[in-house]
């Protein structure tokens, strides 16, 4: 699940950057970040706490929180070797 989310986030981020900054001959599109909204939920709601100029960057970074949660959940659990130290 982690890798699927990572690919979707990379694609959505690429669409956002190209549309927002008008790269490769595309016109500036304020709706370029529409694909980032579902990927960043529920963390996108924290964007209201930031100034209006920072909200596009918060929307860009919000899916990173979910990505980190997925990374930690998908990491295999390692068992520590249990040794006996004098009956401890």
């Amino acid at each position: 699940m982690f890798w699927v989310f990572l690919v979707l986030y990379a694609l959505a981020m690429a669409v956002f950057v190209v549309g927002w900054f008008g790269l490769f001959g595309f016109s500036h599109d304020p709706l370029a970040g529409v694909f980032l909204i579902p990927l960043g939920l529920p963390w996108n709601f924290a964007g209201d706490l930031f100034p209006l100029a920072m909200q596009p960057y918060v929307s860009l970074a919000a899916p990173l929180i979910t990505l980190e949660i997925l990374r930690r959940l998908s990491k295999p659990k390692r068992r520590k070797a249990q040794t006996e130290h004098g009956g401890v």
Side-chain angles (χ1 to χ4, degrees):
M1 193 65 182
F2 170 79
W3 294 107
V4 171
F5 191 87
L6 181 65
V7 168
L8 290 174
Y9 175 57
L11 290 172
M13 188 172 51
V15 169
F16 173 75
V17 170
V18 168
W20 185 259
F21 296 109
L23 302 176
F24 306 115
F26 289 95
S27 62
H28 173 73
D29 184 13
L31 292 177
V34 73
F35 298 113
L36 287 170
I37 294 171
L39 293 175
L41 286 175
W43 319 114
N44 286 340
F45 296 124
D48 294 337
L49 303 174
F50 293 91
L52 188 61
M54 290 204 47
Q55 287 181 1
Y57 303 107
V58 172
S59 295
L60 187 64
L64 290 175
I65 298 170
T66 305
L67 192 65
E68 177 62 19
I69 291 170
L70 287 173
R71 186 187 69 80
R72 288 180 186 232
L73 289 175
S74 66
K75 190 172 21 172
K77 304 241 190 263
R78 297 182 184 161
R79 293 185 180 178
K80 294 181 181 179
Q82 296 179 356
T83 59
E84 295 183 34
H85 297 284
V88 175

